[in-house]
Amino acid sequence: MIPAAQAAPLGNAIANESGSKMLVNAGNAIQGTCAPLAAKLTQTPLVGAEQDLYFRCNEMLGTYGLPTSSNPNTYGYAVGAAGNSDRANAVRQFSGEEASSQRRLTADGSNRQFQGIGARMDAIRHGARSTNSGMGMSFNGTDSVSPAPRGIDAAPTGGAAGDEADSDTGWAWFGDVDYGYANRDRTPREDGYDSDFYGGTLGVDYGFVSGLVVGAAVGYQNYDADLASGNFDGLTSPTAGGDVNGDGYTASGYATFNVDDYFLSGIVSYGSTDFDVERKAFFLPGTLAGGRPDAQGFQINRTYRGDTESDQVSAEATFGGVVIQDGAFSLDSYMKLVYLSAHIQGYTEKETDNSGGTTTPGLALKYGGQDVDSTQAALGFTMRRSFNTGFGVVVPYVGGEWWYVSNGNSGVLKYSYAFALPGANPSFATPTDNSDKDFGLLTGGISAQFARNVSLFVQYEGLVGLSNTSGGMATIGLRGTF
């Protein structure tokens, strides 16, 4: 065994190899964890999880923190398999950056509740309880909520010609379902992932003669994010991956008010999301064989599971109006402000050793809570054209928004080994990525207005201009009056 205090600083070694502050902090935390265990070992034998944690961090330090002057590659990752080039990737698996994906999924939950409500308010603004609206989305940890395209300004004909009811007042209902995806590239600070989601919104509202409408809605979203696995950046040590699953519920209140060709609307929302997190570690820890079989063929192959939840409060305000109204063609523009505040609770992982080892595993991590705060503004437009048919009114539309993020939603993910002893530097401090300062949304869809104030719409929306993320979402909605 190489005492931890005698190993070269692992953080410094990584700094020479990688510009990643996250990995430098991780290297320092591994060494800060190992040193108190080494000191305790001089007084009493280590047992159970503490013993495993010491053996593994000591191997990490001895393998990656102590080069030989004659040939710095002779102590490489896994019995000469790679050399210094794999140091950073091995440290990735000794740490827990995967938990950062919860921040982005938390922000997405409140965004999608806003989408369905924004669609509802667009219908109200045009005096038809069941017109269409483009809807927004977010995959970058920022709120991007529903644009406000124009509804149907002409009275229904054809199949809806006999619909004489006052659709601007009284009770109405709405509902929509959505399915989408987001792919995020791996960065020096965060693991990449491929995710998909599905969910929907249900709501009711009441319209007053004055033009004021107030309502309430509930929403559900399910998320499944598969963390990236495989070899990256030419390194031979694989990233083992994992996944994050979430079930989110939201409740919202909203109001909108029309004055001639202008409107003002607002939404406030509260939500909670339950996360099940799984990460995996698979690597060959080095040539020091303490507390395990001979180094030849030995593998660290472990699974870490945890569960936590988030609570979030969000608000949106939108102001807009008609720019062009020419018969069945219309062009709207609008601006909006969105704020999100969320807290993700801390949790401790449960560890499973899949390699057949006989010692109690000791590499589980204990995470602190995370806070997410995001403020954004957007400018948007929507163009649409109404067509009268034999069964109702059909309205194709296109729209776009450009978002500016004034608060980048970055933060520091803080965690430590669950079985670490109090010491000089046992905690990790992993900075997360900032959100892009600006990005766009492009929307296209078609709606159909039928008799009895019932309408159906289908829409697709895609993200543009994000540096590390791509994604899209399809939505189907139905609306009507009581």
Side-chain angles (χ1 to χ4, degrees):
M1 279 292 189
I2 298 175
Q6 296 180 14
L10 183 56
N12 291 348
I14 294 174
N16 294 330
E17 173 189 316
S18 170
S20 170
K21 183 178 180 181
M22 181 276 293
L23 294 177
V24 172
N25 290 342
N28 290 336
I30 291 170
Q31 189 145 1
T33 298
C34 218
L37 290 168
K40 181 177 180 179
L41 183 60
T42 64
Q43 304 296 323
T44 182
L46 299 175
V47 297
E50 287 185 357
Q51 182 187 65
D52 181 68
L53 177 59
Y54 175 67
F55 285 147
R56 303 293 83 81
C57 70
N58 193 80
E59 289 168 348
M60 181 68 68
L61 294 171
T63 302
Y64 298 106
L66 191 64
T68 60
S69 58
S70 60
N71 186 352
N73 288 323
T74 58
Y75 63 97
Y77 180 87
V79 197
N84 291 349
S85 64
D86 267 342
R87 177 189 289 120
N89 217 30
V91 169
R92 275 183 180 271
Q93 298 198 63
F94 240 63
S95 57
E97 64 186 58
E98 294 87 351
S100 61
S101 61
Q102 298 165 32
R103 300 172 64 87
R104 303 186 183 282
L105 296 178
T106 294
D108 288 345
S110 62
N111 301 345
R112 296 187 186 108
Q113 171 80 112
F114 280 179
Q115 294 159 11
I117 297 172
R120 175 72 200 109
M121 291 193 294
D122 173 62
I124 295 168
R125 286 195 290 271
H126 296 90
R129 284 286 191 177
S130 48
T131 61
N132 168 72
S133 174
M135 297 195 295
M137 58 188 252
S138 167
F139 290 116
N140 193 43
T142 59
D143 281 349
S144 165
V145 294
S146 55
R150 289 291 287 179
I152 302 167
D153 293 291
T157 61
D163 198 347
E164 299 287 336
D166 181 3
S167 59
D168 290 330
T169 60
W171 290 100
W173 59 269
F174 70 96
D176 46 58
V177 295
D178 55 69
Y179 175 81
Y181 73 97
N183 298 326
R184 178 170 174 79
D185 297 332
R186 184 176 185 261
T187 70
R189 290 183 173 183
E190 296 184 23
D191 269 0
Y193 59 83
D194 295 334
S195 69
D196 54 25
F197 61 87
Y198 63 86
T201 303
L202 292 173
V204 296
D205 51 57
Y206 188 85
F208 297 89
V209 175
S210 64
L212 173 67
V213 178
V214 295
V218 293
Y220 169 78
Q221 286 290 332
N222 176 271
Y223 317 91
D224 185 6
D226 294 324
L227 302 173
S229 61
N231 297 331
F232 300 96
D233 307 323
L235 304 179
T236 60
S237 56
T239 295
D243 59 76
V244 179
N245 295 308
D247 287 291
Y249 300 87
T250 51
S252 302
Y254 61 93
T256 184
F257 184 70
N258 276 14
V259 178
D260 297 325
D261 288 333
Y262 300 95
F263 69 88
L264 177 66
S265 63
I267 308 171
V268 293
S269 180
Y270 170 79
S272 180
T273 303
D274 294 324
F275 291 107
D276 292 320
V277 185
E278 179 181 284
R279 68 180 182 91
K280 299 177 181 179
F282 182 85
F283 61 98
L284 302 171
T287 58
L288 298 176
R292 57 179 171 82
D294 182 75
Q296 186 67 35
F298 178 77
Q299 298 173 341
I300 293 293
N301 181 3
R302 298 184 182 179
T303 302
Y304 304 87
R305 295 181 176 88
D307 57 82
T308 184
E309 65 179 49
S310 68
D311 297 291
Q312 59 266 9
V313 177
S314 49
E316 179 236 84
T318 303
F319 174 77
V322 181
V323 176
I324 298 174
Q325 180 66 60
D326 184 8
F329 173 82
S330 65
L331 171 65
D332 287 3
S333 67
Y334 54 91
M335 58 183 177
K336 62 177 63 178
L337 295 173
V338 176
Y339 174 73
L340 167 70
S341 178
H343 176 73
I344 305 171
Q345 297 181 8
Y347 66 97
T348 300
E349 294 176 327
K350 296 180 181 179
E351 183 176 14
T352 302
D353 187 353
N354 305 313
S355 59
T358 58
T359 59
T360 303
L363 299 182
L365 295 171
K366 181 179 181 180
Y367 295 88
Q370 301 182 63
D371 292 314
V372 180
D373 291 288
S374 181
T375 305
Q376 310 94 43
L379 294 175
F381 75 92
T382 305
M383 297 185 296
R384 65 177 62 222
R385 173 68 162 82
S386 301
F387 296 92
N388 292 331
T389 71
F391 58 84
V393 181
V394 176
V395 185
Y397 63 91
V398 294
E401 294 181 347
W402 195 255
W403 283 85
Y404 174 76
V405 183
S406 60
N407 182 339
N409 194 27
S410 64
V412 177
L413 181 62
K414 296 181 179 180
Y415 54 96
S416 61
Y417 288 109
F419 300 102
L421 300 176
N425 182 26
S427 297
F428 294 75
T430 300
T432 59
D433 287 334
N434 289 326
S435 299
D436 291 74
K437 281 294 184 182
D438 52 81
F439 67 98
L441 293 164
L442 296 177
T443 303
I446 188 168
S447 68
Q449 174 81 38
F450 305 105
R452 304 182 187 278
N453 283 328
V454 174
S455 70
L456 174 73
F457 76 88
V458 179
Q459 173 181 286
Y460 182 81
E461 184 178 44
L463 290 160
V464 294
L466 292 174
S467 58
N468 298 307
T469 304
S470 60
M473 183 176 70
T475 307
I476 299 175
L478 186 68
R479 317 187 192 285
T481 57
F482 291 107

